[in-house]
Amino acid sequence: MTFIGSSYGKLIYYCNGYCRIIDVFTGDEVSTPRLPSRAGCSKLHLAGILTAPLASPNSHLLVSTESFLLDLRVGNDSWSELQLPCQFVIDHFVELDGQLIVSNSYGRSYALQLAPQHGLQEIKTKPVGGKPVVGRLVVCGDILLILSFGEFHRLDMSTEPATRVAVEKLGERALFVGAEAKSSALSCMSPELWGGRSDIVYFARTARPWFLYRLCGRPDRLQDRPTRPTRVEPAGFGSTPVQSSVRPLWLYPSMFYSDGQ
């Protein structure tokens, strides 16, 4: 099976023309109808996300291929298809204040509309130094961040085009980011309530369970070994999204989700 995404406490895999949604905490598994053959399901380009918990009446599974975005309302037996723009392959899905955003690792992003009909609206970003703003989109509360070569910036979409803005603090939030580029990042308000720390990024990694660092790559002084973390590169920059095993990621247990929250 090929890992293609995670959301709402589930892992999403592709295997032999079908998707499987797996709850690693309970062992429950849901299999989808076969993906349309004309969609072109190359493992290299597959990515997936749920729009709500499986128990929600309006939960959809979104799967991107090299040419199409496929939409399956959970419980239905057929996929809807949306042709993607030329040379745009989705690498990442994020949801910001109820708005789904899709992006690739080369600086192109679109706002995704599912109803009343499927559609994409390009989000233009202001180049930096004459080059497009590239990286992995990460949502932290009501802030859209972009992780690029080990550093975070905020993407300000109140301007036209959107601009990259320096950000140095997360305030009372903690951010959880996995080394697996196709996994969804998580954020938490007031982590001190359970013994965590705010204004810190928790990175899952292979060498040790996780490490902490502050934004802009600054090492955290309270770590056992406060060294600069290994850069986490988005897919397309020195890493391949197809691997024999899944790299470390964070999951918030599915049983704690209700009504999409």
Side-chain angles (χ1 to χ4, degrees), residues 55-110:
S56 170
N58 195 34
S59 180
H60 291 244
L61 173 63
L62 304 179
V63 176
S64 65
T65 72
E66 57 263 47
S67 302
F68 290 89
L69 176 66
L70 306 177
D71 177 9
L72 176 72
R73 185 162 184 166
V74 176
N76 286 9
D77 58 4
S78 62
W79 296 85
S80 299
E81 303 176 21
L82 173 64
Q83 179 82 46
L84 294 175
C86 181
Q87 297 184 338
F88 177 72
V89 177
I90 297 174
D91 290 324
H92 312 118
F93 294 88
V94 296
E95 184 176 350
L96 179 67
D97 294 332
Q99 174 64 65
L100 285 165
I101 299 173
V102 297
S103 66
N104 65 8
S105 297
Y106 301 96
R108 295 175 67 187
S109 300
Y110 292 82

Side-chain angles (χ1 to χ4, degrees), residues 107-217:
R108 295 175 67 187
S109 300
Y110 292 82
L112 171 62
Q113 174 183 295
L114 298 181
Q117 61 182 12
H118 294 81
L120 293 170
Q121 181 176 354
E122 186 171 8
I123 301 172
K124 297 185 180 296
T125 57
K126 184 178 180 180
V128 176
K131 297 181 180 180
V133 177
V134 300
R136 174 181 172 185
L137 294 182
V138 175
V139 172
C140 183
D142 58 355
I143 301 174
L144 183 61
L145 302 174
I146 184 165
L147 170 59
S148 181
F149 299 105
E151 296 188 350
F152 286 95
H153 291 81
R154 179 169 64 88
L155 197 60
D156 183 1
M157 295 197 298
S158 66
T159 62
E160 180 65 39
T163 54
R164 194 181 74 172
V165 181
V167 57
E168 296 186 355
K169 292 185 177 182
L170 296 175
E172 297 182 354
R173 287 188 175 272
L175 183 62
F176 297 80
V177 179
E180 176 56 61
K182 292 188 177 183
S183 65
S184 297
L186 304 170
S187 68
C188 174
M189 178 67 79
S190 303
E192 288 81 3
L193 294 175
W194 49 263
R197 296 174 55 197
S198 58
D199 197 27
I200 284 288
V201 180
Y202 289 76
F203 259 118
R205 63 181 299 181
T206 303
R208 53 192 302 190
W210 66 78
F211 63 83
L212 312 181
Y213 86 108
R214 298 185 182 276
L215 299 192
C216 301

Side-chain angles (χ1 to χ4, degrees), residues 8-10 23-27 53 252-258 261:
Y8 293 102
K10 312 289 188 181
D23 190 322
V24 298
F25 298 98
T26 66
Y252 187 75
S254 58
M255 64 280 291
F256 296 142
Y257 286 103
S258 63
Q261 300 299 315

